[in-house]
Amino acid sequence: MTSLPKPRFLVIGSGFSGTVLARQLVEGMECFVEVWDERSHVAGNCHTERDAATGVMVHKYGPHIFNTDNEQVWKYVHRFGDFRPFVNRVKACTSRGMFSMPINLLTINQFFGKTMNPDEARNFIASLGDKTINEPKNFEEQALKMLGRELYETFFKGYTIKQWGCHPTDLPASVLKRLPIRFNYDDNYYEKKYQGIPAEGYTEVIRRILDHPNITVRLGEKFDVSSFHFSLSAFSYIFYTGPLDAFFGYSEGRLGYRTVTFEHVETDSSDYQGNAVINYPDLDTPFTRIHEHKHFTPWEKHDKTVAFREYSKETEPGDIPYYPKRLATDQALLKKYRSLGEEFSISPGGFPVSFLGRLATYRYMDMEAVINEAIVFSENVLQSFREKTAPPVFPNHER
Ligand code: UDP
């Protein structure tokens, strides 16, 4: 008796979404998965590579510090790599001096030249907050209500205008809520229970997730719906983790993203700034921050250093999309693309496809959220395949 051939799936994109999904599929059912990535490396924007001149592990698309409260996600990444403890202790270089970020008791006391204890600082900051704002409607109102004008203008206003290219009144309050305000001396940038950086870099973790006999990776393979000839004999299902608007050839217009660029800092020093990340919130400094990558691996020793100034700008054709802006116009466009996505498999020339990840769902997501969603989504997909029903087209719902 001959057995049925194993199904083959195609996953577009080798960031955490595509990679975790591919692994979960081959572990969850008898199948083959091919993973395509248009770049010359796996790992998407988490890609890390040792710098040839210094030997330092560089986060090629900007700093990535893994932080999560999710036990399952933390265990999952540990299957594929050794994570070393790393605490991001960001500093802010302002015209009024160098301060600790996120705003904590040291920041407050230094900024106002005081020696307050936690309760005194809490009352003091509350007295600075704008009492006329009840329900903050945007980033600026949220900041003014929480901190008052002086702290807002020193630490947030300029940085946010540079980072997002728009006024803080045009951004949702939720962007500010990513950052805590602390009335103690805890200067850890993140609040999550588990924090770390993979000892051998993210690309090695991703490479190990993909290291399975039933997974094949093709690099330098650009996926373009208009030239892609779907055939059931090649692949029975496609999972797409690239930008949603790109899948449809930008037919409805472009979703707004900010992108970042990096400028190599020329230095002969062995330690350029003494810290992994220093933010520059003043508007008259054109970049947002400087990252010095040797400080992301304090367990390694390097005689030389490598650092980059980070600039933020609007994403133009050809740029790498980083931060989804999600302005009102973007959200209307997203709705259109999501309906096109829902209908795609039954439309002329369509084929069965699901969309997953930060770019395909157009959301501001940390690595841990991406991994968690890919695990949950793959469980749903496996169940659909077992029950011979169609997998969900998207992992999430849009309001
Ligand atoms: N932010 C700021 N000043 C800082 C750091 C952050 O104004 O020194 C604002 C900025 O608008 C940023 C938001 O807070 O987009 C969230 O910061 P986070 O560090 O979470 O940004 P991300 O991780 O997205 O780079």
Side-chain angles (χ1 to χ4, degrees):
M1 200 177 85
T2 53
S3 56
L4 283 171
K6 289 179 190 167
R8 296 184 72 86
F9 303 120
L10 175 61
V11 172
I12 306 299
S14 68
F16 269 119
S17 295
T19 300
V20 170
L21 173 71
R23 182 78 188 206
Q24 295 298 96
L25 290 177
V26 295
E27 287 184 357
M29 67 186 279
E30 291 276 332
C31 66
F32 290 107
V33 178
E34 205 164 294
V35 178
W36 290 8
D37 202 298
E38 61 180 316
R39 294 178 181 171
S40 58
H41 58 76
V42 294
N45 281 6
C46 303
H47 176 52
T48 44
E49 192 178 286
R50 280 201 189 275
D51 176 54
T54 60
V56 170
M57 188 65 86
V58 171
H59 300 209
K60 295 296 280 187
Y61 300 89
H64 282 74
I65 298 114
F66 205 90
N67 63 105
T68 185
D69 279 331
N70 187 323
E71 201 105 17
Q72 190 193 10
V73 167
W74 191 235
K75 275 203 187 122
Y76 189 88
V77 292
H78 274 74
R79 268 183 68 196
F80 303 100
D82 170 22
F83 277 65
R84 300 281 171 92
F86 177 80
V87 176
N88 201 20
R89 300 188 196 280
V90 177
K91 303 289 174 277
C93 181
T94 78
S95 53
R96 292 182 50 167
M98 191 68 93
F99 297 97
S100 173
M101 274 300 274
I103 292 177
N104 61 65
L105 195 45
L106 185 63
T107 322
I108 297 166
N109 275 329
Q110 286 183 335
F111 189 77
F112 293 104
K114 293 184 182 287
T115 54
M116 293 178 284
N117 67 27
D119 286 342
E120 288 164 345
R122 195 182 298 275
N123 292 335
F124 175 71
I125 296 294
S127 76
L128 302 178
D130 187 333
K131 314 283 177 309
T132 62
I133 301 167
N134 290 323
E135 283 292 314
K137 288 189 294 297
N138 55 55
F139 184 111
E140 178 165 288
E141 287 189 6
Q142 177 75 37
L144 290 175
K145 181 182 163 76
M146 263 170 68
L147 303 164
R149 188 160 291 278
E150 223 179 336
L151 287 169
Y152 161 61
E153 291 195 342
T154 306
F155 293 102
F156 295 105
K157 191 174 177 185
Y159 190 98
T160 300
I161 290 173
K162 290 192 287 186
Q163 166 87 357
W164 293 98
C166 59
H167 198 274
T169 45
D170 293 327
L171 286 170
S174 59
V175 173
L176 179 71
K177 287 188 200 146
R178 281 174 62 85
L179 288 188
I181 254 233
R182 303 210 185 99
F183 298 100
N184 57 33
Y185 289 99
D186 179 3
D187 61 352
N188 184 343
Y189 201 71
Y190 303 110
E191 307 247 83
K192 303 273 168 65
K193 187 170 167 191
Y194 304 109
Q195 302 182 20
I197 286 187
E200 290 309 321
Y202 290 96
T203 300
E204 182 57 18
V205 172
I206 298 265
R207 206 192 53 72
R208 290 191 201 164
I209 299 175
L210 292 168
D211 184 16
H212 185 284
N214 292 10
I215 299 179
T216 320
V217 178
R218 280 170 62 178
L219 296 177
E221 192 70 58
K222 193 169 165 55
F223 178 81
D224 183 348
V225 172
S226 61
S227 55
F228 179 73
H229 298 292
F230 179 79
S231 125
L232 270 178
S233 58
F235 300 109
S236 48
Y237 205 92
I238 316 284
F239 296 94
Y240 178 84
T241 72
L244 186 59
D245 51 0
F247 184 91
F248 294 101
Y250 307 100
S251 62
E252 311 301 305
R254 283 180 182 263
L255 289 166
Y257 278 98
R258 294 293 284 176
T259 191
V260 290
T261 57
F262 307 109
E263 177 183 45
H264 182 238
V265 176
E266 295 297 334
T267 175
D268 290 329
S269 165
S270 63
D271 191 356
Y272 178 71
Q273 63 178 12
N275 202 39
V277 182
I278 299 189
N279 289 355
Y280 286 79
D282 290 349
L283 251 190
D284 49 16
T285 309
F287 45 89
T288 51
R289 55 184 183 169
I290 298 182
H291 16 99
E292 185 173 9
H293 292 240
K294 71 190 300 181
H295 296 297
F296 289 119
T297 54
W299 56 89
E300 294 185 1
K301 289 277 165 283
H302 298 281
D303 295 335
K304 293 185 181 161
T305 196
V306 56
F308 298 91
R309 295 183 195 95
E310 179 173 319
Y311 296 81
S312 174
K313 69 174 194 81
E314 211 56 17
T315 306
E316 288 160 53
D319 289 337
I320 297 169
Y322 274 77
Y323 296 96
K325 291 174 70 176
R326 294 185 73 97
L327 302 179
T329 45
D330 298 315
Q331 299 202 23
L333 201 52
L334 175 61
K335 282 214 174 79
K336 285 192 194 168
Y337 279 124
R338 282 185 65 108
S339 335
L340 288 178
E342 296 284 355
E343 293 154 11
F344 187 74
S345 66
I346 49 161
S347 61
F351 47 80
V353 61
S354 292
F355 301 89
L356 178 69
R358 180 180 66 94
L359 295 169
T361 61
Y362 190 58
R363 279 175 304 158
Y364 194 173
M365 291 171 90
D366 291 333
M367 290 178 284
E368 57 128 12
V370 164
I371 294 170
N372 185 51
E373 194 157 278
I375 294 173
V376 172
F377 186 69
S378 55
E379 281 160 9
N380 292 333
V381 168
L382 287 164
Q383 189 181 348
S384 306
F385 286 145
R386 277 194 298 272
E387 293 171 356
K388 301 199 182 338
T389 56
V393 175
F394 289 96
N396 67 318
H397 297 283
E398 270 294 320
R399 275 164 289 127

